[in-house]
Amino acid sequence: MPSQKKNDIAIRMEDVGIEIDGELDSGSEDEARRRDRNRKAKASPRAGGRNGKPATSEDEEEEEDQDEAPRKRARKKKASAQDSEEEEEEDDRSVKRKGTKAAGRKKKAVEEESEESEEEERGKKKKGRKVTNKKQKDEQNKEKKGDAKGKGGKDKGNVKDKKNKNGKYSRECQAFVEKFEGALGKGKGRKLYAYKVMMAKKMIKFNRDFDNFKTACIPWERKIKEVESHFGSSVASYFIFLRWMYGLNLVLFAFMFGLVVLPEVMMGLPYGSIARKTVPRAEQERAMDISVLLDFGGYCKYSILFYGFYNDERTIGVLQFRLPLSYLLVGVGIFGYSLMVVIRTMARNSDEGGDGGDDGQFTFAFKMFTSWDYLIGNPETADNKYASITTSFKESIVDEQENQKDENIHLRRFLRVLANFLILCSLGGSGFLIYFVVKRSQEFANLDQDELSWFEKNEVEFVMSLLGLVCPPLFETIAELEEYHPRIALKWQLGRIFALFLGNLYTFLFALFDEVNAKLEKEKSIRNATIWGLNEYYSNYSSYHNTTDIPPPDIHPADVIRGPCWETAVGIEFVKLTVSDIQVTYMTILIGDFLRAMIVRFLNYCWCWDLEAGFPSYGEFDISGNVLGLIFNQGMIWMGAFYAPGLVGLNVLRLLTSMYYQSWAVMSCNVPHERVFKASKSNNFYMGLLLLVLFLSLLPVVYTIMTLPPSFDCGPFSGREQMYNVVMETIENDLPAFIGNIFTYATNPGLILPAVLLMVLAIYYLNATSKNYQNANLELKKKMQMARDEEKNRRNNKENTNQVMQDLEDLLPNRSLLPPAAEEENPPPDKVREKGSKSPKVAKRPGAAANGKGVNLQNDVSLAAPNPKAAVTHPPGPRGLSGNARGPPPGPVRGRGRGTPPPRH
Amino acid sequence: MGSTNSTLSRIPNVEELMQETGFTPAHIVRLYDRFEALDKEKTGHLRPQDFGAINRLAMNPIGDRIIGSFFSTGQETVDFHSFVRILAHFRPADKNRPKDPSMPQPVNSRTSKLKFAFQLYDQDKDGKISRAELLQVLRSMLEMQVTEEQLESIADRTIQEADLDKDDAISFEEFRKSLEKVNIDHKMSIRFLR
């Protein structure tokens, strides 16, 4: 180890000597710049003292080091005496730099004085200077060996610059000393330096390890990479989205659990103490039945999971925790947080997607020569790497294929319009069907339940699931007409199914609101009855006992008459929906993927046709369905979280299990898509859909919070007119009065309207600016591409050994007269195969052919000698010319592949 | 310090070697340790099997070519000196060393690194990576699922991209051009040697 250190030092020493030379050798431009900087630096001298000696320091400076303090004092006077020797001043400055911080202030004063004097001087010399500047530079170059002292300035103009120059040298020296202090020093300094070097090495190692550790800490990174290497980035993008969603839900869960559920459990009243926390007498018998519990009735219904369980006490526990307020704020805060996160992620993603760093120039060559990771020593990793290289090649092939096809633009356009028309038709049809069915079910609801058949009762669900079953494959089939790039096709598919599912959402909400309204009616009557009963009780009690001190009626909490509590009912609906969704998803995977794979795999031994290649085959991973399932599930969570705080926890569990379950299912029972395609770098499309769903689920929740009256006997807001009254109460009771005033002013429409207006204006302005930037970006990209093309063309022209041929190309107006070129570009497939399969010797044939061609061409040229040879005499010719030279002859394949830049997404 | 010197003294012509490859004594010692570790039978020469023991090479699709690059044609073994000379290709480029015109190409320059990589692909040493050679590499690099047709189109496409003079093969110059943007100095360096 010590020997190595020594070597390092040795290297440094070598470097050192060289570096000085190198720096001083730099051009005069550099010098000028540095001088400029020095001038600036003069105004604010650094006080960073250095104890090392400058390598090229001269004796005087050392001296000054020692008798620094007296010098300074002396200078104060000297500075006022303007024409002190310039040398002195220079030394002065270096001393100043060396001074300690303590002396800094004093120095500043000195500096100012001297600065002033300099200023005067400068004014005088301004004219003379420019002339002398050039002279200066030359001189500097001559005497670059850094005698910091310089020669005595003879003419006045010179002196000034010399000062700067000297300053520069001493500065350089200083920087140098700072850098190699220890290596130059003896004894202690050197040891310190060795130690520093060692620590730096350790630090590098540590950083690398830490990076590895960080990567290892990203959850499921390996799983996702594994999936990506076998199924391509598009499938992986689903899992990345799932992981992101899991993170989001974890945060939401932390909010909900920490601020609502936990306080109620810890500090609230226990189960059975009041009516809302007790199972009613009528239900008690069956409250523990598993079928009831699975329907979230019984004990489940009166548990912490649902809205109704929470008490309306303003503060609970010793901490005076304001649970109702916290409940409302968390309910709204979940939306706020989600909105913020989604939008921020979208913005960041679009940032990343924007850089056009990798151009499509050498895609295949890059992949070919550089994709292997030479540190792989583990067979499993190696397998994955093989798979991922294969996949990435396949992705590139798909991209390339898509770039190359544009046969009949009119037909394509027509087909696309047709496809969209068909899909719009089916969307409209299914929308109408849903509307019709919902209307009918409302009619049925008014009839007697016994008269209806089973089908009539479940008509809505039946139609919905039928649509969900039929429409996506239908859309997919229609989308075949469009022949989009699979990546774009996926987006369309997602959008269309999304529109279809919106109908689903609509019916669900519609039914829910009907139910809520019915419950509200029922509640009103029960509430009136309860109030009436209580009044009766009070009046009876007071008249009977003849007292005004009336104890509350002594009824067991289980026997209290209570309202239907619509909030809990809504919560239960959402939880049920989520659970059934989980069940359906998991069962589909189990049956549709796992069982199918099992059958295909094992029944294949005794079946009349090839199951693996033939009809059932293995399933593919359904990206669009899974993504949309995830998004809509999240919508349910957002809507339901307010009425069922336990729902978020349930969802966290669901996402966690589905991560493992799905990645297992994908790896074990699915096969990669036929056309593996590269996912777009940012999955902003998913995010956009998520944002839309978030907004859609925000609406009903906010509506219910703002308009519907809360139940009178359950939940944290019971007894209040509106839910948001909690906020008002807090402002009135707990906050100082002026805040209430501010709040009143702030909610004044006169203030809100201008604020909204302002925001709209800001949005408009920002939008316009971003458009401009986008355009500028596009322009720049185009320019870059053009520059690259130009360079390439130039290179081609210059390095084309067969210049004669080029000349000829210029000559011939009709390139199709060049049969050999065309042939070379489009080798017949059989020839290609032959070349590939035979020995490498055969591969030389094209070269030979080219030679033969060259000979022929030469003959031609001799015929056409007197023609202009512009292209040859000016090899790096202008674009137009070179473009001309390289125009059509490369044949159809080549021309499209290279000449025109591929369309960017 | 002492061990270093004793190890160094065991290697003949060590000064010359250091001069030639630019390695420091510490590097040489380290490499010598490595060499001895690989040389199981203590013959002072390495055979291809000895390299095969490194599983990173065993996993590599072109591992045998890399091993082959250590052996000059016709030779079955490699001694320490040529071992070090080959490895010198992977020494990181020196940053702040001046360009010395008298020594035209240090062995760890970008060009010679690329040359080394190029030779791995150019099996028949004709100065060109032909289509067949590309196909060979592709076959070893990709899984079975890729059809022969696809392999061929990949090879064609690669050549098409890189090929500037249209001879249907990739010369060294073209190879260099196509990898212009790749940070070879970074990728083909073994940082522990610094």
Side-chain angles (χ1 to χ4, degrees), chain A residues 770-782:
Chain A
S770 82
K771 276 250 169 63
N772 281 344
Y773 282 137
Q774 216 168 8
N775 281 342
N777 242 341
L778 273 181
E779 281 298 309
L780 286 177
K781 250 183 209 167
K782 247 186 243 163

Side-chain angles (χ1 to χ4, degrees), chain A residues 56-104:
Chain A
T56 52
S57 71
E58 64 283 52
D59 303 346
E60 258 201 39
E61 231 172 292
E62 264 176 51
E63 274 171 32
E64 294 222 353
D65 237 296
Q66 285 148 15
D67 57 0
E68 185 183 342
R71 262 294 217 15
K72 222 182 287 150
R73 249 170 274 127
R75 198 170 318 108
K76 248 186 187 170
K77 290 160 211 156
K78 227 187 263 171
S80 54
Q82 204 196 74
D83 56 348
S84 62
E85 301 155 284
E86 307 301 338
E87 272 177 39
E88 286 274 340
E89 251 199 60
E90 158 52 26
D91 292 339
D92 211 71
R93 216 165 288 122
S94 62
V95 167
K96 247 178 256 154
R97 238 177 294 115
K98 282 183 184 150
T100 55
K101 259 186 190 161

